């Protein structure tokens, strides 16, 4: 029997103890994952999750999140939320209170309001500075015939913006992932993000797409992704990794196969993930560098950093 535990990405590590405290007080693994993710959403430290997240080309912050229950395969998600910070909790409400799986934009706002969530200003000084920086770059880069046009049209035609998209590193997709497993083997995965920096308004990444950035099934394991969602959406990376576990691969073999599929797309951008298997083994992987994840169980005072793997392109 495993001790109940949480694992998370680097940005989650300062908040794992908040989730562990919930478990110590008798809360469920779903409560623990939600609590840890809420801690990150509310802090301005990450710069890519919750308040102070990365802005779109128009300077707004739009958040995506999802939560999945490996016991029932029930799940909830929200996307393009610009008025509320605790998108992980709205996603949970979508799972628990609606017949749906995913609500977006104004529909998600309306639902959050009905559920009693507090509105939140998601921008910070840093968000505004990043927004101004892209506006300046775009203004310097415009062909003459675009001057005076609507700013959105100018932005999406800007060569500089598109060159910049190609250079994006993981920091510009700095999603947070938290996976929990309790001593009965129940797995929950929570994912929350502001998505890609300087994205088109309305762009949705892998985080709220079940099967792409989030998947779990108590019988096999759980997976959560960070990185360029445009890659994992096309390959259903989280779901396929679980499928490979089901076929009998080890956690490392399954992740390696999924990341080789990412490399096979031969596209710019990187992918990272954290994962657990049904026996409580944990791993993280990156397509671009050394990888680590943070682990904390109910008997620990502090999270420990655990090494993962770097799946290099052939
Ligand atoms: N993985 C986060 C995103 O692509 O939005």
């Amino acid at each position: 029997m495993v001790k109940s535990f949480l694992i998370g990405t680097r940005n989650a590590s300062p908040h794992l103890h908040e989730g562990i405290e919930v478990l110590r007080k008798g809360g469920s693994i779903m409560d623990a994952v939600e609590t840890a993710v809420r801690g990150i959403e509310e802090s301005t430290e990450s710069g890519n999750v919750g308040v102070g997240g990365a802005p779109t080309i128009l300077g707004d912050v739009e958040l995506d999140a999802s939560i999945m229950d490996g016991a029932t395969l029930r799940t909830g998600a929200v996307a393009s939320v610009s008025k509320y910070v605790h998108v992980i909790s709205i996603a949970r409400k979508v799972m628990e209170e609606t017949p749906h799986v995913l609500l977006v934009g104004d529909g998600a706002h309306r639902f959050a309001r009905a559920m009693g969530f507090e509105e939140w200003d998601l921008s910070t000084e840093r968000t505004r500075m990043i927004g101004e920086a892209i506006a300046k770059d775009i203004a310097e880069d415009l062909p003459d015939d675009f001057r005076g046009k609507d700013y959105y049209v100018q932005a999406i035609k800007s060569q500089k913006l598109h060159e910049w998209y190609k250079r994006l590193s993981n920091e510009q997709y700095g999603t947070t992932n938290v996976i929990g497993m309790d001593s009965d083997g129940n797995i929950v995965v929570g994912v929350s993000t502001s998505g890609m920096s300087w994205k088109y308004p309305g762009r949705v990444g892998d985080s709220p797409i079940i099967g792409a950035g989030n998947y779990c099934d108590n019988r096999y394991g759980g997976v959560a992704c960070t990185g360029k969602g445009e890659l994992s959406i096309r390959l259903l990376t989280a779901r396929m990794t679980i499928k490979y576990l089901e076929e009998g691969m080890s956690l490392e073999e399954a992740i390696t196969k999924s990341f080789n599929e990412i490399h096979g797309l031969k596209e710019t951008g990187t992918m990272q993930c954290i994962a657990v298997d049904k026996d409580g083994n944990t791993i993280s992987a990156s397509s671009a560098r050394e990888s680590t994840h943070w682990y904390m169980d109910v008997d620990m005072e502090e999270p420990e950093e655990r090494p993962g793997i770097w799946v290099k392109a052939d």
Side-chain angles (χ1 to χ4, degrees):
M1 196 172 79
V2 297
K3 289 180 193 165
S4 301
F5 69 87
L6 298 176
I7 61 168
T9 42
R10 175 185 296 277
N11 50 12
S13 63
H15 302 279
L16 292 183
H17 69 275
E18 295 161 26
I20 291 294
E21 202 46 41
V22 168
L23 291 173
R24 288 186 185 132
K25 289 184 175 148
S28 69
I29 197 72
M30 176 80 63
D31 297 334
V33 168
E34 180 188 358
T35 298
V37 175
R38 281 175 68 93
I40 307 149
E41 290 174 339
E42 215 168 305
S43 126
T44 50
E45 279 155 32
S46 117
N48 296 82
V49 178
V51 61
T56 70
I57 47 173
L58 298 186
D60 304 313
V61 178
E62 294 182 352
L63 305 178
D64 304 333
S66 64
I67 196 158
M68 184 160 186
D69 176 8
T72 59
L73 306 190
R74 291 178 72 215
T75 178
V78 288
S80 296
V81 171
S82 57
K83 295 185 177 168
Y84 295 88
V85 72
H86 288 308
V87 276
I88 193 71
S89 299
I90 307 172
R92 182 172 176 182
K93 287 283 185 202
V94 170
M95 176 176 76
E96 292 175 346
E97 306 282 343
T98 80
H100 306 307
V101 162
L102 172 63
L103 294 180
V104 306
D106 284 344
H109 291 152
R110 177 168 263 202
F111 174 69
R113 191 160 54 247
M115 291 292 114
F117 285 89
E118 182 191 347
E119 285 202 20
W120 212 289
D121 178 3
L122 299 179
S123 60
T124 59
E125 193 48 39
R126 179 181 166 277
T127 313
R128 283 185 282 277
M129 277 168 56
I130 296 173
E132 280 162 22
I134 187 70
K136 184 165 169 286
D137 263 15
I138 288 167
E140 282 170 3
D141 180 47
L142 274 182
D144 282 345
D145 29 335
F146 281 102
R147 293 199 187 280
K149 285 227 162 60
D150 173 77
Y151 177 72
Y152 174 84
V153 179
Q154 294 180 5
I156 64 173
K157 293 289 179 188
S158 157
Q159 200 53 35
K160 253 190 185 158
L161 179 68
H162 290 277
E163 277 162 18
W164 188 83
Y165 284 146
K166 289 189 196 138
R167 293 196 307 271
L168 282 175
S169 67
N170 190 50
E171 281 61 44
Q172 277 84 31
Y173 301 92
T175 305
T176 197
N177 297 155
V178 176
I179 303 180
M181 179 185 251
D182 69 18
S183 53
D184 294 324
N186 292 307
I187 302 170
V188 170
V189 179
V191 181
S192 183
T193 190
S194 56
M196 178 182 186
S197 305
W198 291 331
K199 62 188 178 184
Y200 287 33
R203 177 265 185 191
V204 175
D206 58 337
S207 304
I209 306 297
I210 298 304
N214 180 337
Y215 203 79
C216 62
D217 181 326
N218 284 0
R219 294 171 298 174
Y220 311 113
V223 179
C225 301
T226 72
K228 185 178 178 182
E230 281 75 2
L231 304 177
S232 49
I233 288 174
R234 288 154 69 191
L235 294 165
L236 291 179
T237 299
R239 173 68 183 111
M240 290 310 293
T241 306
I242 297 295
K243 183 77 186 145
Y244 302 143
L245 291 174
E246 182 182 348
E247 287 170 3
M249 289 186 198
S250 70
L251 200 51
E252 182 163 345
E253 287 166 345
I255 292 283
T256 302
K257 184 164 167 61
S258 285
F259 274 63
N260 280 330
E261 290 168 355
I262 299 278
H263 290 308
L265 291 176
K266 304 224 173 297
E267 281 225 7
T268 58
T270 68
M271 224 42 236
Q272 280 64 232
C273 78
I274 61 170
V276 303
D277 68 14
K278 65 177 173 33
D279 301 316
N281 298 306
T282 72
I283 200 168
S284 52
S286 171
S287 65
R289 55 164 187 247
E290 300 296 340
S291 131
T292 57
H293 57 290
W294 275 259
Y295 170 95
M296 186 169 181
D297 69 37
V298 283
D299 290 338
M300 293 167 68
E301 289 307 313
E302 295 293 331
E304 75 182 19
E305 188 174 3
R306 289 187 166 182
I309 59 171
W310 177 358
V311 182
K312 296 184 182 172
D314 292 334

